[in-house]
Structure formats: structure tokens, C-alpha cells
């Protein structure tokens, strides 16, 4: 039976606004295709060999949680960087996305070292960027939309050769000004979108599963599923993001 090894880094520290639902979506959509999923949860201090990981998920975390895990993350930096360059799949949301970059200057000015996997940096601004967001994402042809929820003080700026995950249609994205959202490097995806993101954007879930299978050496074109419920969730997230009520909320300081 085809199998994916799904690692979940610091689940007790990095999990905001339903991020754990991303794990559920990955597991269910794999199981529905008879693909086995082995989950490995990693706590700070635990020794883990990432050479057996196909797909690594890291959720979001407030500044206080990022500070709790950053020293442990630093010890894994070389191993994770090599794995990412070799094509290991990483899906990372908000607080962990910030730590995929070169550094994050948190609220209050403390500078947290990042993994340096993607050429980007983040600095906390004085205003939080909050609300439902929609982006146009060119990972597929024709491009598809991704709908999620963002809440961050950090403003992220991408290096010149880094591809954003998408273009902001509604919301703030990486920094509220350049219309980019998230970043992609090899099979590494970082995004500000919580939500949970994957249950209502099943095409991204399948993209990650397919990339993980090819990385493992068993490329599979996943059979399509009946996504009518997921599509309805996606569509209603878009309606919410574009509603006047949302716009009032997201302009609050
Ligand atoms: N602590 C980070 C910020 O506020 C990330 C928050 C998050 O993961 N939602 O920018």
C-alpha cells in the first residue's frame, strides 16, 4: 500500500485558528484514495530524523510560542534546509511561515533567527492585519483561488527571486502593501492563511499529497473526489471575505 509519512512539528505550540484541521484534511483525502498516512508529532527536544519525512506540516503561533520553539528549531536548521533542497514537502502557516525565512523581528523588537529556507524576512508592524482573505494562486492552470483567514502583526517581504503563493484579491497578504501572499520554494509552501485552510481548498491538499508521493518515489495522479461540500465551504469563505461586515472588522487597528 502506498504510504505518506506526515510529520507535524510542535503541534502543542504551533496551532492557531484551526490549523490542526489541515492535518485532518491531508489524512482524510489520502485515506479516501487508499493511501496510508503515518503521523509523527514532534515536540521540542525530541530527536527525529527528517530523512524519513515526506510532508512536514507546521502551524501558526503567536510571538510567545515562536519564542518557545525557536531555539529547538535552530538545532534542526541544517537538516531541514537540506531536506527542503532535496524536495521534501513543507506546508507552513503564519508563525512558522515567518520562521522559514531569514528572521522575524517580533512585537517589542526581539529578533528571532529563521531557518533561511526561503529568502524572506518579517518585521512586526504596529497594526495587526486581520480578516478573511482570498488569493489568486498560480500553482494550477488555470489559476485557482484560495480562501482563508489571517491575523498577524508581522509584515513579510520576499527576496527578489522568491515566488509568492498568490496575489491578494481580498485581505492583506504578506505585508498589506505589495499584494503578494505567501511564498513557494521547491516543494516548500508558506502562507498567512489559517482557517483551516486545506479543508476548504481541497486542490491545495491534493497538490501537497501528490508532491509528497513523488518525493517518496511513488508518483500518483490522485483520483478526483466529490468536492461539492468543500467547494461550498470555499465559496462561502469568499462571500464572507468580500462582505461589508468583514471589511469593517479588518480596518480596525
Ligand atoms: N506571531 C506572528 C504575528 O503576529 C504570527 C501570528 C500567527 O501565527 N497568526 O505576526
Amino acid at each position: 500500500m502506498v504510504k505518506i509519512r506526515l510529520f507535524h512539528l510542535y503541534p502543542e505550540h504551533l496551532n492557531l485558528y484551526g490549523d490542526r484541521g489541515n492535518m485532518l484534511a491531508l489524512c482524510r483525502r489520502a485515506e479516501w484514495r487508499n493511501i496510508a498516512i503515518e503521523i509523527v508529532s514532534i515536540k521540542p527536544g525530541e530527536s527525529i530524523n527528517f530523512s524519513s519525512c515526506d510532508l512536514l506540516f507546521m502551524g501558526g503561533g503567536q510571538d510567545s510560542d515562536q519564542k518557545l520553539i525557536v531555539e529547538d528549531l535552530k538545532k534542526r536548521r541544517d537538516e531541514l534546509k537540506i531536506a527542503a533542497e532535496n524536495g521534501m514537502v513543507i506546508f507552513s502557516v503564519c508563525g512558522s511561515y515567518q520562521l522559514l525565512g531569514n528572521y522575524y523581528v517580533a512585537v517589542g523588537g526581539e529578533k528571532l533567527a529563521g531557518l533561511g529556507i526561503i529568502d524572506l524576512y518579517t518585521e512586526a508592524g504596529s497594526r495587526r492585519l486581520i480578516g478573511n482573505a482570498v488569493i489568486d494562486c498560480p500553482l494550477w492552470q488555470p489559476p485557482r483561488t484560495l480562501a482563508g483567514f489571517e491575523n498577524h502583526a508581522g509584515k513579510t517581504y520576499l527576496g527578489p527571486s522568491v515566488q509568492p503563493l498568490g496575489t491578494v484579491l481580498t485581505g492583506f497578504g504578506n505585508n498589506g502593501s505589495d499584494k503578494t501572499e505567501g511564498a513557494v520554494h521547491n516543494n516548500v509552501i508558506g502562507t498567512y492563511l489559517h482557517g483551516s485552510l486545506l479543508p476548504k481548498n481541497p486542490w491545495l491538499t491534493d497538490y501537497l499529497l501528490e508532491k509528497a508521493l513523488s518525493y517518496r518515489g511513488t508518483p500518483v495522479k490522485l483520483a478526483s473526489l466529490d468536492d461539492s461540500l468543500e467547494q461550498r465551504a470555499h465559496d462561502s469563505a469568499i462571500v464572507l471575505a468580500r462582505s461589508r461586515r468583514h471589511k469593517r472588522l479588518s480596518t480596525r487597528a
Side-chain angles (χ1 to χ4, degrees):
M1 190 183 196
V2 182
K3 183 164 99 174
I4 293 174
R5 289 206 189 105
L6 172 60
F7 282 33
H8 191 180
L9 195 55
Y10 314 133
E12 286 155 25
H13 296 284
L14 299 181
N15 177 41
L16 285 177
Y17 316 117
D19 285 341
R20 206 180 290 262
N22 293 319
M23 291 289 293
L24 293 176
L26 289 164
C27 291
R28 291 295 169 273
R29 293 185 74 82
E31 284 160 15
W32 289 337
R33 274 79 166 236
N34 288 323
I35 296 166
I37 291 263
E38 181 186 327
I39 296 175
V40 178
S41 296
I42 307 153
K43 293 184 181 149
E46 270 181 359
S47 117
I48 288 286
N49 184 347
F50 283 92
S51 64
S52 60
C53 171
D54 305 315
L55 170 51
L56 172 65
F57 171 64
M58 300 188 272
Q62 290 162 0
D63 288 18
S64 52
D65 282 309
Q66 289 171 293
K67 288 174 193 170
L68 287 174
I69 55 91
V70 75
E71 283 308 311
D72 190 79
L73 194 63
K74 206 189 286 178
K75 294 182 195 137
R76 305 180 194 272
R77 180 188 156 111
D78 291 346
E79 198 183 356
L80 285 172
K81 261 189 102 149
I82 291 167
E85 288 312 309
N86 287 339
M88 186 177 84
V89 185
I90 302 181
F91 177 57
S92 145
V93 179
C94 201
S96 62
Y97 163 46
Q98 295 170 343
L99 295 175
L100 285 181
N102 301 323
Y103 64 85
Y104 170 48
V105 178
V107 175
E110 191 175 335
K111 188 171 182 177
L112 309 184
L115 291 167
I117 288 176
I118 307 186
D119 180 23
L120 58 85
Y121 69 92
T122 305
E123 292 176 350
S126 51
R127 173 183 171 221
R128 294 198 73 79
L129 307 178
I130 306 174
N132 296 293
V134 183
I135 67 168
D136 198 31
C137 180
L139 286 180
W140 305 267
Q141 278 315 320
R144 303 203 71 146
T145 48
L146 298 176
F149 170 76
E150 59 183 326
N151 183 353
H152 50 107
K155 293 182 173 186
T156 295
Y157 298 91
L158 307 182
S161 60
V162 177
Q163 291 301 309
L165 175 62
T167 305
V168 174
L169 299 176
T170 306
F172 298 100
N174 280 330
N175 48 55
S177 51
D178 68 10
K179 294 278 176 199
T180 65
E181 201 296 306
V184 182
H185 170 73
N186 286 353
N187 290 332
V188 180
I189 293 181
T191 178
Y192 271 111
L193 301 180
H194 299 274
S196 317
L197 186 66
L198 296 182
K200 56 181 174 284
N201 298 278
W203 30 93
L204 181 57
T205 321
D206 288 355
Y207 178 90
L208 294 167
L209 293 172
E210 284 186 353
K211 290 286 180 192
L213 288 164
S214 346
Y215 174 62
R216 164 157 282 268
T218 47
V220 171
K221 177 82 195 105
L222 294 175
S224 49
L225 298 168
D226 174 6
D227 285 333
S228 44
L229 193 60
E230 290 82 353
Q231 183 73 52
R232 275 169 51 203
H234 178 81
D235 294 349
S236 63
I238 290 183
V239 170
L240 187 65
R242 292 185 176 152
S243 71
R244 285 177 54 212
R245 182 175 164 274
H246 162 73
K247 288 206 174 98
R248 278 205 309 276
L249 281 175
S250 59
T251 50
R252 280 183 196 159

